[in-house]
Amino acid sequence: MTTTLITGANKGLGHETARQLIAAGHTVYVSARDAERGRRTAEELGARFVLIDVTDDATVEAAAKTITADGGLDVLINNAGIASRADAQSESSAASVTADSMRDTFETNAFGVVRVTHAFLPLLQRSAAPVVVNVVGGLASLTNLSDPTSPTHFYPGFVYPASKIVVNMLTVQYAKAFPDIRINSVEPGFIKTDLNDNTGMQSVEEGAQLIVRMAQIGTDGPTGCYLDANGPLPW
């Protein structure tokens, strides 16, 4: 039985990914920073719940102890993320962005990935087929952001894409450091979620399919890659 932890799993892509992996036979831990919502989600899906606020060391460490005591972990899906509406909508963000305006988003989207990955690495290293999936989206490509023919070129914000580009760097470096763990970044598509005020073009069911597929790769699967449903993406 494969055991999987998904951060930020009480709604959206995380919730749907949990549902699909449970259907595929995984034992799934759904995590959320709101205990009531997380427990309700776990009960609804037939999952297990662990309290994790990815910005808080204590909750991450406590969750690692709980999952260790329960038997271990095979797959970590770093899904939790936030986006600033002002960042996405402000044409003047180049002039207005400050270190303070970036801090909260980086704390969740970038530092949170490091915090959670660091805590669960010892468990993953004990697995026979360990996997890490980092959900970064399409704005994590420097190549596409700088290409006038790419739709992402016209995104005006600084904060969200910068935080996700950092996660792509983490994916590359972690994959080199831990060659026995399959570690990849994924772009699930422009999905209708609260993160974008449900303006996306695809459903969560469609978006979760790639995350689920990458969560189930074997020991001979790709690692250190950035992929969408069609294959590798430019960094």
Side-chain angles (χ1 to χ4, degrees):
M1 180 73 76
T2 301
T3 300
T4 299
L5 167 65
I6 307 171
T7 64
N10 64 291
K11 61 181 181 178
L13 272 176
H15 182 283
E16 177 59 22
T17 298
R19 188 191 70 78
Q20 291 187 25
L21 283 173
I22 290 167
H26 286 222
T27 296
V28 174
Y29 286 88
V30 296
S31 86
R33 57 185 177 181
D34 183 302
E36 182 179 348
R37 290 178 183 176
R39 290 192 181 98
R40 188 163 60 241
T41 297
E43 184 176 342
E44 171 195 334
L45 293 173
R48 302 178 183 183
F49 170 67
V50 285
L51 179 69
I52 292 181
D53 177 344
V54 300
T55 70
D56 179 70
D57 288 323
T59 62
V60 174
E61 291 166 5
K65 289 178 181 178
T66 295
I67 295 175
T68 299
D70 286 349
L73 186 70
D74 303 295
V75 180
L76 169 62
I77 300 176
N78 285 309
N79 169 72
I82 61 173
S84 164
R85 297 293 183 269
D87 186 55
Q89 297 167 1
S90 174
E91 293 295 339
S92 62
S93 58
S96 62
V97 68
T98 65
D100 283 343
S101 71
M102 299 185 76
R103 190 164 282 113
D104 286 348
T105 301
F106 266 68
E107 189 64 54
T108 296
N109 294 0
F111 305 154
V113 169
V114 175
R115 184 174 285 110
V116 173
T117 303
H118 176 76
F120 286 95
L121 270 172
L123 281 182
L124 291 167
Q125 289 176 301
R126 297 175 202 167
S127 170
V131 171
V132 176
V133 181
N134 294 323
V135 181
V136 298
L139 291 169
S141 169
L142 278 170
T143 299
N144 287 339
L145 283 168
S146 60
D147 179 1
T149 68
S150 169
T152 60
H153 175 76
F154 301 97
Y155 182 87
F158 276 52
V159 183
Y160 182 80
S163 70
K164 291 299 189 175
I165 287 166
V166 168
V167 177
N168 266 352
M169 185 283 296
L170 293 171
T171 293
V172 170
Q173 297 298 79
Y174 276 133
K176 290 190 294 184
F178 301 101
D180 293 332
I181 306 176
R182 306 292 90 185
I183 304 173
N184 295 288
S185 290
V186 299
E187 143 62 326
F190 189 31
I191 310 302
K192 295 178 182 178
T193 68
D194 289 349
L195 200 68
N196 57 39
D197 289 328
N198 293 297
T199 58
M201 305 299 292
Q202 296 169 278
S203 68
V204 290
E205 291 81 7
E206 292 170 311
Q209 290 174 7
L210 174 62
I211 304 172
V212 168
R213 189 172 85 219
M214 295 308 295
Q216 298 184 92
I217 60 174
T219 55
D220 59 346
T223 191
C225 297
Y226 175 33
L227 311 114
D228 68 5
N230 297 314
L233 292 171
W235 295 107

